Amino acid sequence: DVRQPFWAVFVMFKINAAKTPADLWMLRSDLHQCISQVHSQRVAVERINSLVDVFEGWIPPSQLTRIQG
């Protein structure tokens, strides 16, 4: 039985509840925090920034900003 920390379960719930690409994009900060807790800030920045290309065409270009790390 592998138990997830509450914050990770909560973020997974929010990801599953997202209805639009914009909803998912707005969860970047929460996801960044989760990744940072398990790995490192550097890894979190790399992983979140790797998602920018996935959201091109779905999110206005002005909102597709990379995290500075």
Side-chain angles (χ1 to χ4, degrees), residues 14-15 18-32 47-56 58-67:
K14 288 168 44 172
I15 289 169
K19 302 236 184 282
T20 68
D23 293 342
L24 288 170
W25 186 248
M26 296 306 293
L27 294 173
R28 289 176 303 142
S29 177
D30 294 334
L31 189 56
H32 178 275
R47 290 185 182 183
I48 298 300
N49 285 342
S50 73
L51 297 173
V52 171
D53 294 341
V54 175
F55 285 90
E56 284 183 359
W58 293 97
I59 304 296
S62 62
Q63 293 180 13
L64 285 174
T65 57
R66 295 184 184 275
I67 298 172

Side-chain angles (χ1 to χ4, degrees), residues 1-46:
D1 179 31
V2 177
R3 296 192 187 264
Q4 303 277 339
F6 174 76
W7 46 265
V9 173
F10 188 61
V11 171
M12 287 187 292
F13 171 79
K14 288 168 44 172
I15 289 169
N16 287 323
K19 302 236 184 282
T20 68
D23 293 342
L24 288 170
W25 186 248
M26 296 306 293
L27 294 173
R28 289 176 303 142
S29 177
D30 294 334
L31 189 56
H32 178 275
Q33 188 171 357
C34 283
I35 296 168
S36 293
Q37 293 284 328
V38 175
H39 299 285
S40 69
Q41 172 91 13
R42 181 187 58 78
V43 171
V45 167
E46 289 173 0

